Structure formats: C-alpha cells, structure tokens
Amino acid sequence: MAAEIPSRKVIIHGAGGAIGGAVAEEFARRGAELFLAGHRLDSVNTTVDRIRGLGGGPVHAAEVDASDPAAVDAHADAVVDAAGRIDAVLNAAGLPAVQGVPLLDMPVDDVVAPAAGWLRTQFITSRAAAVHMVRRGSGTVLLLSASPARVSIAGVGGFAAACAAVEALTRTLAAELGPSGVRVVCLRPQRILETIGSTPDLPMALDEFTRFLESLTTTGTLPTLGEVAKAAVFLAEGGAGSMNGAVLNLTSGMSVD
C-alpha cells in the first residue's frame, strides 16, 4: 500500500471574506488541515461551517488582527505547536480604499492609507509564517494583489499603489527566502465577479459598472472565486515549483505582462 500523503497545513487570514473563504474551501477539498483567521470570529466561523459540510480535513478558527504583529506571530507559533509546520499561508484580508474620486480631490491620508495598510498586513502575515518555513526549508507564501497594479486607470485612488507595493514585496521576499526553499508568489486577479456586491467602486449604476469591468478584459469576462481559489491551491501544492517572486496574472487579459 502506498504511503498516505500528509495533509498540508495552511493558514488563511481574512478567511471570513469571499476570497479567503473560497480558497479555504478549495484547500479543504484537497484534504488540507486549515487554520483560518480573521478580524471577526463570527465571519470565520461561517466559513468553518461551510467547510465542515464538505467533509474535508480538520479546520480551526481564530480571531486574529492581521495588522497586529504580536497577534499574527502568536497565531503562527500556535499553528506550528499544534501541527508541526506551516506549508502555505495566504492573506486575503480586506482593504478599505476610497475610489471613484480624482486624486487631486482626495485628502493625502485617503491616498496613502491603502498602500500602507495592505503592505503592512501582507508583510506581517508573510513574515510570521515564513520564519517557520525557513527553519524547515520549505513552504509557499501567497500574497494578494489586483489588476490596478499594472494598468493605467483613473478613479482607483491609492488602491493601485497598494497593489504595486505588494507585488514589489513579493519580489523582495522571494529573493531573500528562495535560497532557504521557501517560494513567494502573488496572485493578481481582476475584480472578481462574485465580489462586486451591490455597491460599485465607481460612481455608476451596478450593471454599468459590471459591463465596464468586463470591457477592460480581453475575454469580456471576469475571473470567478473558484478560478482564483484553484490557482492558489495549484501554487501552494507545488504545481509551479519553479515559480518564485512572480505574479500569477488572473486578470482575464486586463493587464498583460
């Protein structure tokens, strides 16, 4: 009988949100042991309930502020104490950003805050897990960006700078962690269809906003949560073992690089 493949130990911050929840569900289908964290435990527990309904591997929930280094470090330490290792980490925590207002009309803090906030949380969660990965000599750090990182588009405020900052962080972390056997990869989706909700980011009607987003792609379609989740699991399971410091382009052709 072939030896059983040990389940992957995966941390997902922002697990109560749409992207974090979808990625968690996809990992669960692959039998991973999940350590789900979020700023609001009730949201994380909603994801936990869905996952337990899938009948996958063990799943644990914790209330963790991804912007608090001490809390994130303590959570990563607890995961290693319980599971022995961390195989993958993803931070899908939400980012408040003012959009739909010209930059010249925005207060400085509204422009700078998204870049500072997202870079902060992505670095804190990546570092906390990577410290343990480096000691073990393996692991995958997944960061999250979005299409404005590499396109010239009006009305996105400081969000584009935030995305570009995370992609730059990806490259630096990859250069420093790669020699230790730890890969760092960033996912860059276009606006995901299921996350548009009822309030457009730009001052236009919802159906007009959706058509506008679709028109920016080369396929006329937006990525789905399922596609993004499958891509994340593919990266973390070693499907792209030679990919390090790269950005996986999931923009449906909106940005090409």
Side-chain angles (χ1 to χ4, degrees):
M1 179 182 295
E4 183 177 345
I5 300 175
S7 64
R8 295 187 181 276
K9 317 301 180 182
V10 180
I11 294 177
I12 299 177
H13 290 274
I19 296 176
V23 174
E25 288 184 36
E26 190 62 29
F27 270 116
R29 293 186 182 95
R30 305 283 293 179
E33 181 172 6
L34 298 173
F35 297 85
L36 306 184
H39 194 253
R40 299 202 328 270
L41 188 58
D42 56 344
S43 297
V44 178
N45 280 331
T46 297
T47 301
V48 169
D49 290 342
R50 291 201 312 270
I51 287 173
R52 285 178 175 158
L54 297 175
V59 56
H60 317 272
E63 186 172 293
V64 182
D65 181 353
S67 67
D68 182 345
V72 173
D73 288 347
H75 179 252
D77 293 346
V79 170
V80 172
D81 287 344
R85 67 183 192 277
I86 301 169
D87 294 308
V89 62
L90 169 69
N91 181 354
L95 171 73
V98 177
Q99 300 189 69
V101 178
L103 285 172
L104 298 187
D105 296 334
M106 291 181 68
V108 171
D109 287 348
D110 284 349
V111 177
V112 175
W118 209 359
L119 183 63
R120 176 184 176 88
T121 63
Q122 291 284 324
F123 173 66
I124 288 170
T125 56
S126 297
R127 180 184 65 179
V131 166
H132 295 283
M133 293 175 178
V134 166
R135 290 173 184 158
R136 188 168 179 267
S138 67
T140 304
V141 176
L142 299 174
L143 290 89
L144 185 64
S145 175
S147 53
R150 290 298 299 270
V151 295
S152 179
I153 183 171
V156 295
F159 184 58
C163 297
V166 170
E167 294 189 8
L169 176 65
T170 299
R171 294 188 289 271
T172 305
L173 281 173
E176 295 186 1
L177 304 182
S180 299
V182 179
R183 295 188 303 116
V184 185
V185 186
C186 184
L187 296 115
R188 185 207 296 155
Q190 160 67 312
R191 185 61 183 269
I192 299 169
L193 182 62
E194 297 98 321
T195 66
I196 294 175
S198 59
T199 306
D201 298 334
L202 303 178
M204 57 182 69
L206 181 60
D207 58 346
E208 181 185 359
F209 180 58
T210 303
R211 289 195 301 271
F212 168 70
L213 292 175
E214 292 171 340
S215 72
L216 296 174
T217 73
T218 57
T219 62
T221 61
L222 299 178
T224 66
L225 283 171
E227 290 167 348
V228 174
K230 286 181 172 63
V233 173
F234 170 76
L235 293 174
E237 289 192 337
S242 60
M243 185 180 290
N244 190 36
V247 177
L248 187 63
N249 190 330
L250 302 171
T251 67
S252 298
M254 179 181 178
S255 64
V256 289
D257 59 355

